[in-house]
Amino acid sequence: MSAGWYLRRLSRMGPREVGGRVGDAVRRRQWRSSPPDCPEVTGARFTAVLPAGTAAAVPPDAAKRLIAEADRLMAGHIEYFGVVRDDLAAPDWWYDPKTGRRAPWGYAFDVPYRNEDAVGDIKQIWELSRHQYLTVLAGAYAVTGDERYAERVAEHLRRWWSANAPLRGVHWTSGIELGIRLLSWVWIRRLLDGWPGAAGLFEDNPVALNQIWHHQRWLAAFPSRGSSANNHIIAEAAGQFAAACAFDWFPASARWRTGALRSLERQLRNNTFDSGLNRELATEYHGLVLELGLAAVAEADTAGVPVPASIRQVLLRMTDALAAVVDSRLRPPRQGDADDGHGLVVDGAGTDRWGSLLATGDAVFGRLAWWPAVTGTDVRTPLLAALIRPYPASGSAPAVSRPADRPAHFADAGLTILRGPGEIWCRCDGGPHGFLSIAAHAHADALSVEVRHDGVDVLADPGTYCYHGQPAWRQYFRSTLGHNTLQIDGADQSVSGGPFLWTRHAHSRVLAVDTPGTSDAGTARWCAEHDGYPGSVHRRRVELCAEERELLVIDEVRGDRREVRLAFHLGPAISADLVGSRAVLTWTRDGEDRSAVLDLPGELSWRAHRGETDPPLGWYSAGFGRKEPTTTLVGTGFAEGTALSGEFTTVLRFHG
């Protein structure tokens, strides 16, 4: 990174964080010259097994998907972030199939992992070594007893341990990778229990013991700090805690377990609003943190380790919040960064992540009457439910108040869901610009809206697409113009200092919310404003009229005369015919034709953009590393806070 980036990054740290990072730098130098040896371990036994009959409780269709995925992996095929790999039978752990580059060998902290020219796409390299494909293979062994799966897992673990000595190479550079990898190893050992080679692979294997010990030593020494204490520190603490519970074979295990549990309890609270939404306001990280937290509690209950009541209460609130915000097809908002990261993977392709989390929540916490129905099945839920004590278990935690009705407005997160007939769903964003001083996973999307009809993206959040190596695309997908909101003078509302760094944050505030159930007129209303543009205030009002099946978006700019661009990004399933300031939208859902009309502000000059690259405009990313052209409607003009042209009204009317 450039010297300017380091200065900008330093400016977002407090004295305590700076001191901690200086200490980290000193330890890294010391570790280079004097690597310690793993203490001798004798008599290690693995006791954190699944209760008898758990594998038999896996629903047949979920088991079928799992086995199909395992067979695909056995044949050498896998896909990460839109890139297909056919080398999984004997993978190169340092190879990036996207760029064709191979990460360099050397002392871990010398590897320039952010430099794609030197290393390749680091996400492609790291993902395979999270070993979540091995938890899938181990799960296939658990439900079938077929030793082919177990033998492949053992082969790959032995090869990985041999090729990735402690503190050597790219897989020892990031704590989140070590934490998730430890969690995977715990579940691999658990799912392989009963296979004759399981003990020889883990507790009776000095190489495995050395790797497990060094992973935990690393995590204890280099936790994410201060402005970086987001989802990464949850993964670090959850992975270390799980390993210290299940692999409690070392002199430091009790100390590591206590420290990791203390960190997990504190950071789960810090990372979660009281309403239950994740403070990063990036929905996929809500899912990741919830998965990690549930996995950690499963290890605690299996090992008989008491867990602070607040941990279960945070996970309960997170689960209720997820149930509250999903649409009719159980899709949550597409908000902030998303990198397809998972905490624990034991399911095959086609399993609904969000339905799985709600199914686990039902099993562990109990569903509320207003929760949406979950009809799908998964493998993970019966496994976790077999280990986690139901909530509230006697003596484990006091009962907490849960919402009697489905929440629509989360005041602390600034997120509001407006719902209408025909499964109309609208997310309104009036919340903080991300979490902590750098807001690493935030987008410049203040006052944006996201609208779906029966689960289909109509006005879409375009997603994330990439993190490293493609700065123009990274900038676009997190920009103001890249979202359904208003841009002034060609600038973003918040100022970026790097791909995971914002140096100035727009501040939003919700002025009014009136949702069905509190509204006598049958119309849901929301109003908010932000201060992201010095000298001007952008205020937006949204009204969803149930009777008319109509959504009004009214934008007001107060301040000096400014050039504005108002963007509406259509989902990839939507076709648009734009004539003047009216766009006719059509799409198909379950074989049925659907349509809507979008009447745009006539004061602006409107153009349709699709799949443009210089600069990027008109793109949708369904998942990390994948993008496809879509239609973006952009209106350009001028606003004067004291004139009629300072207010712009958009009307979306659904038909049928």
Side-chain angles (χ1 to χ4, degrees):
M1 307 298 287
S2 68
W5 179 87
Y6 281 106
L7 289 173
R8 292 190 296 272
R9 185 66 182 84
L10 184 64
S11 73
R12 310 305 293 175
M13 301 181 194
R16 184 174 180 179
E17 180 179 354
V18 172
R21 290 178 182 270
V22 169
D24 291 345
V26 171
R27 274 186 294 277
R28 290 182 181 124
R29 290 181 63 86
Q30 293 171 337
W31 284 25
R32 177 199 295 272
S33 59
S34 56
D37 295 323
C38 171
E40 184 178 351
V41 174
T42 58
R45 293 292 180 266
F46 184 82
T47 59
V49 298
L50 289 168
T54 300
V58 173
D61 57 336
K64 184 177 180 180
R65 290 194 303 272
L66 169 63
I67 295 166
E69 182 71 9
D71 288 342
R72 188 167 75 98
L73 296 172
M74 291 289 288
H77 308 304
I78 199 167
E79 179 181 333
Y80 287 134
F81 315 131
V83 178
V84 175
R85 297 185 65 152
D86 296 316
D87 64 342
L88 201 63
D92 180 343
W93 310 109
W94 299 356
Y95 175 69
D96 166 28
K98 176 182 167 185
T99 64
R101 297 186 179 96
R102 193 170 187 273
W105 173 258
Y107 183 57
F109 298 117
D110 291 341
V111 177
Y113 66 89
R114 294 187 181 94
N115 185 341
E116 187 170 295
D117 291 335
V119 175
D121 186 328
I122 192 61
K123 288 283 292 177
Q124 289 286 344
I125 297 172
W126 276 344
E127 193 69 18
L128 188 66
S129 288
R130 289 186 171 188
H131 290 168
Q132 292 174 328
Y133 78 99
L134 295 180
T135 57
V136 170
L137 290 173
Y141 166 77
V143 300
T144 66
D146 188 335
E147 294 190 1
R148 293 182 306 118
Y149 301 123
E151 290 164 356
R152 177 62 60 83
V153 171
E155 174 193 349
H156 279 211
L157 281 179
R158 292 182 191 277
R159 291 183 66 246
W160 194 93
W161 289 331
S162 175
N164 294 275
L167 300 179
R168 309 302 293 179
V170 73
H171 297 303
W172 291 87
T173 60
S174 174
I176 187 174
E177 304 306 316
L178 276 73
I180 290 176
R181 192 154 55 237
L182 277 178
L183 185 60
S184 294
W185 292 352
V186 168
W187 274 89
I188 288 167
R189 176 60 184 88
R190 173 175 291 128
L191 293 167
L192 292 185
D193 197 64
W195 177 55
L201 179 62
F202 279 93
E203 55 264 35
D204 295 337
N205 180 2
V207 175
L209 294 173
N210 187 55
Q211 286 276 350
I212 293 168
W213 184 81
H214 273 284
H215 271 67
Q216 295 194 76
R217 176 177 178 264
W218 194 110
L219 289 171
F222 301 113
S224 293
R225 299 182 183 278
S227 56
S228 295
N230 54 10
N231 65 86
H232 283 229
I233 200 167
I234 303 293
E236 294 160 9
Q240 177 147 45
F241 178 72
C245 287
F247 302 147
D248 60 340
W249 307 323
F250 308 102
S253 290
R255 173 169 54 84
W256 287 337
R257 184 167 57 245
T258 299
L261 183 59
R262 185 185 305 116
S263 175
L264 185 66
E265 190 274 338
R266 181 174 64 253
Q267 298 302 336
L268 275 174
R269 285 189 289 106
N270 289 348
N271 275 258
T272 309
F273 287 113
D274 289 343
S275 65
L277 290 177
N278 182 264
R279 285 186 183 272
E280 293 198 75
L281 295 173
T283 309
E284 281 209 7
Y285 289 114
H286 182 106
L288 173 65
V289 169
L290 181 53
E291 289 169 354
L292 292 166
L294 289 168
V297 170
E299 297 307 325
D301 287 353
T302 303
V305 176
V307 170
S310 61
I311 288 182
R312 297 181 198 268
Q313 290 166 0
V314 168
L315 299 176
L316 170 60
R317 294 200 309 271
M318 291 183 72
T319 306
D320 280 341
L322 175 62
V325 301
V326 294
D327 65 18
S328 61
R329 303 286 177 133
L330 300 185
R331 294 179 62 219
R334 284 166 52 89
Q335 183 178 18
D337 273 348
D339 70 349
D340 297 356
H342 292 257
L344 173 64
V345 180
V346 287
D347 275 282
T351 301
D352 177 24
R353 176 186 196 173
W354 308 105
S356 170
L357 276 170
L358 291 177
T360 303
D362 186 2
V364 173
F365 302 119
R367 61 176 288 112
L368 295 173
W370 53 261
W371 273 32
V374 177
T375 57
T377 61
D378 69 311
V379 175
R380 188 175 60 194
T381 289
L383 301 185
L384 288 174
L387 301 178
I388 300 176
R389 292 198 306 267
Y391 181 90
S394 177
S396 66
V400 297
S401 176
R402 300 175 68 184
D405 299 302
R406 189 175 200 172
H409 177 56
F410 297 81
D412 48 10
L415 184 146
T416 305
I417 304 293
L418 308 182
R419 298 179 187 271
E423 310 299 350
I424 299 172
W425 175 99
C426 174
R427 171 182 66 87
C428 302
D429 177 12
H433 179 73
F435 179 48
L436 302 174
S437 62
I438 64 173
H441 292 297
H443 291 183
D445 57 355
L447 308 196
S448 64
V449 295
E450 184 183 3
V451 181
R452 299 177 191 157
H453 185 279
D454 195 16
V456 174
D457 291 313
V458 179
L459 302 182
D461 183 293
T464 299
Y465 178 55
C466 67
Y467 280 171
H468 300 283
Q470 298 170 282
W473 290 103
R474 175 64 171 154
Q475 190 279 331
Y476 169 70
F477 276 98
R478 68 206 289 256
S479 70
T480 298
L481 186 62
H483 294 82
N484 298 315
T485 188
L486 186 142
Q487 182 195 59
I488 295 180
D489 288 347
D492 285 336
Q493 307 152 337
S494 296
V495 177
S496 173
F500 298 97
L501 171 64
W502 296 93
T503 56
R504 183 174 62 77
H505 302 182
H507 297 94
S508 303
R509 60 174 183 146
V510 176
L511 303 175
V513 175
D514 187 13
T515 57
T518 62
S519 170
D520 296 330
T523 297
R525 296 182 175 87
W526 172 88
C527 180
E529 65 182 21
H530 76 82
D531 65 356
Y533 295 110
S536 296
V537 173
H538 174 208
R539 177 176 293 183
R540 169 169 277 185
R541 305 194 304 276
V542 178
E543 299 182 1
L544 176 57
C545 178
E547 183 177 354
E548 301 294 332
R549 296 171 52 81
E550 179 178 276
L551 185 81
L552 276 72
V553 180
I554 303 155
D555 290 292
E556 181 181 357
V557 179
R558 297 183 176 184
D560 301 331
R561 187 174 191 267
R562 314 291 287 270
E563 183 182 37
V564 302
R565 286 198 289 181
L566 180 60
F568 290 106
H569 300 261
L570 307 182
I574 308 298
S575 297
D577 182 13
L578 175 66
V579 177
S581 60
R582 167 170 284 196
V584 177
L585 314 181
T586 56
W587 66 98
T588 302
R589 179 58 152 169
D590 297 332
E592 180 180 346
D593 293 336
R594 311 283 179 90
S595 65
V597 171
L598 186 63
D599 282 319
L600 302 158
E603 301 92 336
L604 302 178
S605 175
W606 289 91
R607 284 187 57 199
H609 303 263
R610 185 176 181 86
E612 299 173 9
T613 59
D614 189 20
L617 186 60
W619 295 91
Y620 179 94
S621 175
F624 196 83
R626 291 174 286 151
K627 69 181 187 300
E628 59 186 299
T630 192
T631 300
T632 296
L633 306 175
V634 178
T636 304
F638 288 88
E640 295 179 83
T642 58
L644 182 62
S645 60
E647 184 171 291
F648 310 101
T649 300
T650 303
V651 183
L652 175 63
R653 298 182 183 89
F654 291 95
H655 298 157

